[in-house]
Amino acid sequence: VVAAMALVMVAVSVFGVDSSDATGAGTGGSTDSTVYEGTCGTNLEWTFDGTKLVIDDKSTTADCKLDAINSWKITTPSNSGTTASKLLNDNKGFELEVKATKLTTLGTVFKGSGVASITLGNVTTIPSSGFEGCTYLTTISLTKITSIGSSAFEGCTDLSSVTIPATVTTLESSTFEGCTSLTSVTIPATVTSIGTDCFKGCTSLGTVTFTAPSSSATSYVKSIPEGAFDGCTSLSKVILNDSIESIGKNAFKGTKLSEVDLKNVKTIHQDAFAGVTTLSKFKIGTNNASFYTDSTGTFLYSKDKSILYMVAHTKTGTLDADDLESSVRTIYIGYAGVTFMLDHTKVDYVFKKEATTPKAIGVKYSTQGVDGTMSPVISSGKLSVTYKLYDGWSSDKYKVIGSPSP
């Protein structure tokens, strides 16, 4: 799996292509001018001239099935002294065109290969790891695709654009993970679920749009899962739709978002925006039943304003209790470098943090005193707590990791 901010290339593939030597699409070419022909499965034949591979059917009425590359036969020229695997291994940056009308899936035949562009004809299914590690791949048409498997395009580092058709309903885990040249993506309204780490590590991805489903739609994306856009370090704009209800752990970790419109989101994991140091404003939909934000968008509260969940990363300095909503009684601190000066008579549960277990722990402060193993600094009737992201406990000060889900 491709880790955030780093790419693990597939070095050995079905073809034996060492993709770590790849420098870009189209840089290879045919090693000779011979046109090769042969069979590649049930009712299937292939032609390869060094720059283009065509897969066609022998009969348009019979079903067909693509064999593994090692089973492909060469019929022309006879006694060629080579294999299909070697031909495709020696030629990087070739074009693939599927003309076979009955062929619906390619399997993992082209995983790690040097294919640069793909026209899939009537193919409807790209299975798990179908084109994983194809570092020369720049162009692909998904017009008739209905299913895209996990890691289908993981590590396709030259793939700069992709159009997900309305025929697709599910994006599995790591589908486009590590596609470091991908610049934008639109999730069609027909997609009903997105897998974990789906676009993780797409470091050039700048804009993501979730298309709004129709008013009559009964199935649609409701959750942005864990790690979906983790490590997308260029991501500055995300357009959610009103159907999104939850945002998972590390969903937008390490991105460049400056403003987040939560619309109708109901729950947010404590680490959903971890490391987003550019985040300065929260917005919510008019009918959002779970959250409230002030006019500046700096603070994200519960709907009844009794809980402060998040403070924007860019808020720094000293904050007095009078700067908060007067109804606040519980504060989950996270996402900023603020020193809070809070009147202890106004706040019952001052700071809370989520431990490695789901149970929340923290410092309870009231007029009777402080409970907990770490005590904040109390001076002149004010409570002062300095915290910093991800540092855990330090010295005699309570430092906070993030803000738990509501």
Side-chain angles (χ1 to χ4, degrees):
V1 177
V2 180
M5 310 295 291
L7 175 65
V8 179
M9 290 190 177
V10 180
V12 179
S13 72
V14 177
F15 287 133
V17 175
D18 185 353
S19 60
S20 63
D21 291 336
T23 57
T27 57
S30 176
T31 56
D32 62 54
S33 58
T34 306
V35 176
Y36 294 86
E37 297 177 351
T39 58
C40 54
T42 305
N43 191 39
L44 289 173
E45 56 190 12
W46 63 280
T47 302
F48 185 60
D49 64 2
T51 61
K52 184 175 183 178
L53 171 66
V54 177
I55 297 176
D56 207 345
D57 43 23
K58 297 179 181 178
S59 168
T60 58
T61 59
D63 290 336
C64 46
K65 180 182 179 182
L66 191 67
D67 287 342
I69 188 66
N70 291 333
S71 297
W72 288 23
K73 303 273 193 294
I74 297 177
T75 57
T76 303
S78 59
N79 301 318
S80 64
T82 188
T83 64
S85 178
K86 186 177 188 311
L87 287 173
L88 298 181
N89 185 32
D90 290 344
N91 292 275
K92 295 178 173 65
F94 64 87
E95 177 185 354
L96 168 65
E97 180 180 5
V98 178
K99 290 184 176 181
T101 57
K102 294 285 188 176
L103 186 60
T104 59
T105 182
L106 299 177
T108 56
V109 169
F110 296 100
K111 177 181 178 181
S113 72
V115 62
S117 67
I118 302 171
T119 303
L120 292 173
N122 289 332
V123 171
T124 58
T125 301
I126 298 178
S128 297
S129 300
F131 293 97
E132 181 181 352
C134 292
T135 57
Y136 286 85
L137 183 61
T138 60
T139 306
I140 183 168
S141 172
L142 301 175
T143 306
K144 296 185 179 181
I145 298 299
T146 59
S147 175
I148 303 177
S150 60
S151 300
F153 297 100
E154 181 178 347
C156 293
T157 53
D158 271 0
L159 186 63
S160 59
S161 66
V162 63
T163 299
I164 301 170
T167 49
V168 172
T169 58
T170 301
L171 294 176
E172 302 289 351
S173 60
S174 301
T175 299
F176 295 99
E177 181 175 349
C179 292
T180 53
S181 296
L182 195 62
T183 58
S184 66
V185 66
T186 296
I187 311 296
T190 52
V191 172
T192 59
S193 66
I194 299 175
T196 58
D197 301 334
C198 190
F199 294 92
K200 182 177 181 179
C202 293
T203 53
S204 297
L205 188 62
T207 304
V208 175
T209 301
F210 288 82
T211 306
S214 66
S215 57
S216 60
T218 57
S219 297
Y220 39 79
V221 173
K222 294 184 179 181
S223 174
I224 300 177
E226 179 176 346
F229 300 96
D230 182 0
C232 294
T233 53
S234 298
L235 186 59
S236 60
K237 185 176 183 179
V238 172
I239 303 174
L240 303 181
N241 59 47
D242 290 335
S243 69
I244 304 296
E245 297 180 357
S246 67
I247 301 177
K249 180 179 181 181
N250 297 333
F252 295 101
K253 180 181 177 181
T255 61
K256 277 186 150 182
L257 295 174
S258 59
E259 181 177 300
V260 177
D261 188 345
L262 298 172
K263 295 188 181 292
N264 289 331
V265 169
K266 296 178 181 178
T267 60
I268 307 172
H269 189 276
Q270 66 172 55
D271 293 325
F273 301 100
V276 186
T277 58
T278 52
L279 186 57
S280 62
K281 186 175 184 178
F282 296 102
K283 293 175 65 178
I284 59 172
T286 305
N287 299 318
N288 190 301
S290 301
F291 297 108
Y292 165 82
T293 186
D294 65 341
S295 59
T296 67
T298 304
F299 307 103
L300 187 66
Y301 299 93
S302 59
K303 189 67 174 180
D304 63 4
K305 306 177 189 178
S306 66
I307 302 172
L308 174 62
Y309 284 119
M310 292 187 184
V311 180
H313 264 296
T314 53
K315 179 66 179 175
T316 58
T318 299
L319 184 68
D320 192 270
D322 293 336
D323 294 319
L324 303 179
E325 295 291 331
S326 60
S327 54
V328 170
R329 290 297 178 269
T330 301
I331 301 176
Y332 288 97
I333 295 300
Y335 310 105
V338 183
T339 298
F340 281 77
M341 301 295 290
L342 300 175
D343 185 336
H344 69 265
T345 62
K346 293 183 179 180
V347 180
D348 297 327
Y349 291 85
V350 179
F351 294 97
K352 289 189 176 182
K353 102 186 242 300
E354 190 163 291
T356 53
T357 58
K359 182 180 179 181
I361 62 172
V363 176
K364 177 181 178 182
Y365 185 75
S366 66
T367 55
Q368 284 73 42
V370 176
D371 298 325
T373 57
M374 307 298 286
S375 298
V377 177
I378 303 173
S379 177
S380 301
K382 297 281 188 175
L383 172 69
S384 176
V385 179
T386 302
Y387 66 93
K388 184 179 180 182
L389 281 174
Y390 311 120
D391 282 356
W393 296 95
S394 176
S395 184
D396 62 346
K397 299 195 176 180
Y398 188 60
K399 297 193 173 185
V400 182
I401 291 179
S403 54
S405 300

